[in-house]
Amino acid sequence: MAGPVVSRSPACLWCMRRLAQPFLSPNGPVNSLPLVQTRAKSTHLVPSDKGVVVRLLANIPRFGRKDAIFRVERGRMRNEWFPRKLAEYMTVARFKELGLSPKNDVGERDPTFVDMKVLEQLPAAKPPAPVAEPQQAAKPVKKTIKPERVRELLERLVPKTITFYRIPIPAPPSNTATISPLVAVAVAQETPQGPLAIYGSVSTKDIASSIKSCISADEDGTQINIEPAHVTVLGLKDEINKIKELGRFEVKVSIGNSDLEPITRSVEVLPSEEKTQEPQPASKKTAV
């Protein structure tokens, strides 16, 4: 009987064993075809060289005191300690000379050993300099100015008239071109000429800033805080405490929260030298 037809070569060791098993003779030796994979002997667990037993002839920091017996690397003993006569090899004969036993008298290296004589010869380490803590900048102490001194500075340093300049808004042109000159003159005489409005009002904040700049020339004046609430403009028509037209106005400046009488100054709003902006006529819409 012919063997089974193999369509392709086996891909693993298990397939090869399965295919080879039918061809084994039942009377043949059992070990004729090994069915178990064998591995070479590993040397991973073989202990490495434990070094050589030495006896120290001097104190060696991080290893031990003089006369200490332990194992150390062969290279360290051969290249460093033996040429410098810091240690000697401990042979069987040397153990007998010293009356010691290789089994009981071989100790361990002392990595914590420090030779105090060597430390005493070293220069004393200076203590680290204390780290200076960053000093915070001292906040300036605000000087307290008495109300009498505040009133004296305001009376002496603030001028009698505080002047501001604003651009006036011109009045819109009247349609007098279609009437006679006599009627136009009569209308112009009957129309009262009121104050000119301005671009940008003069607020109490502007007045307070101007007063602060005046008193800042004095050392005590720099400590005085003038708020817009301390400034009152008299003679305004609306409730808004702002000047919105050219003219001269009376202003009272109170002395903080004290009972002292406020000082009185004049605020004059004059037209600036800049060109007055004239309103442009509205463009006529083209009839469709």
Side-chain angles (χ1 to χ4, degrees):
M1 181 178 178
V5 179
V6 181
S7 60
R8 57 179 181 176
S9 59
C12 62
L13 183 61
W14 186 85
C15 296
M16 294 178 61
R17 293 173 181 169
R18 182 175 57 83
L19 294 174
Q21 214 168 14
F23 299 99
L24 294 179
S25 175
N27 299 326
V30 179
N31 295 331
S32 59
L33 183 63
L35 300 180
V36 180
Q37 184 182 4
T38 59
R39 297 179 59 184
K41 187 176 180 181
S42 174
T43 60
H44 178 69
L45 299 179
V46 176
S48 59
D49 186 11
K50 296 182 179 180
V52 62
V53 181
V54 299
R55 174 173 169 266
L56 298 183
L57 302 178
N59 294 336
I60 300 179
R62 296 184 296 113
F63 284 93
R65 296 179 177 274
K66 180 182 178 181
D67 297 330
I69 300 175
F70 54 88
R71 291 184 178 273
V72 75
E73 301 90 340
R74 296 180 183 272
R76 185 187 301 273
M77 179 60 179
R78 180 178 60 251
N79 300 326
E80 297 182 15
W81 290 357
F82 188 75
R84 297 167 56 188
K85 296 182 180 180
L86 297 177
E88 64 175 348
Y89 289 98
M90 289 299 293
T91 62
V92 178
R94 186 59 177 160
F95 270 108
K96 290 182 179 181
E97 291 179 5
L98 298 177
L100 301 175
S101 171
K103 181 181 294 186
N104 301 326
D105 295 326
V106 177
E108 298 290 339
R109 166 192 170 185
D110 185 7
T112 61
F113 173 73
V114 178
D115 192 355
M116 299 304 299
K117 294 182 179 180
V118 176
L119 293 179
E120 292 175 358
Q121 295 176 1
L122 296 177
K126 296 182 180 180
V131 180
E133 296 182 358
Q135 297 181 357
Q136 297 181 355
K139 296 183 179 179
V141 180
K142 191 172 181 180
K143 186 179 179 181
T144 303
I145 309 298
K146 294 183 178 181
E148 293 78 6
R149 175 61 174 167
V150 174
R151 195 177 195 288
E152 176 190 352
L153 292 175
L154 293 177
E155 286 285 1
R156 180 167 53 90
L157 298 178
V158 179
K160 297 296 182 180
T161 302
I162 305 173
T163 306
F164 294 91
Y165 294 91
R166 295 292 186 270
I167 301 175
I169 303 176
S174 60
N175 298 328
T176 58
T178 58
I179 59 178
S180 63
L182 296 177
V183 176
V185 172
V187 171
Q189 292 177 355
E190 293 177 0
T191 304
Q193 298 292 333
L196 292 178
I198 57 176
Y199 289 103
S201 61
V202 178
S203 63
T204 54
K205 183 178 180 180
D206 299 331
I207 300 173
S209 299
S210 179
I211 294 175
K212 289 174 66 176
S213 62
C214 294
I215 64 177
S216 60
D218 190 274
E219 182 179 357
D220 292 342
T222 57
Q223 304 293 331
I224 300 175
N225 189 19
I226 302 297
E227 299 290 343
H230 300 158
V231 180
T232 304
V233 183
L234 305 179
L236 294 181
K237 298 178 182 179
D238 51 4
E239 297 180 356
I240 301 176
N241 207 10
K242 292 182 179 180
I243 301 174
K244 299 183 179 181
E245 57 190 25
L246 299 178
R248 191 180 185 90
F249 303 87
E250 187 177 0
V251 174
K252 287 189 176 182
V253 182
S254 60
I255 315 300
N257 298 325
S258 65
D259 298 333
L260 296 177
E261 183 181 357
I263 67 170
T264 304
R265 289 294 182 268
S266 297
V267 173
E268 191 173 17
V269 183
L270 301 178
S272 64
E273 297 179 357
E274 299 181 8
K275 184 178 180 180
T276 304
Q277 300 180 4
E278 298 181 357
Q280 299 180 358
S283 59
K284 298 181 179 179
K285 297 183 179 180
T286 305
V288 179

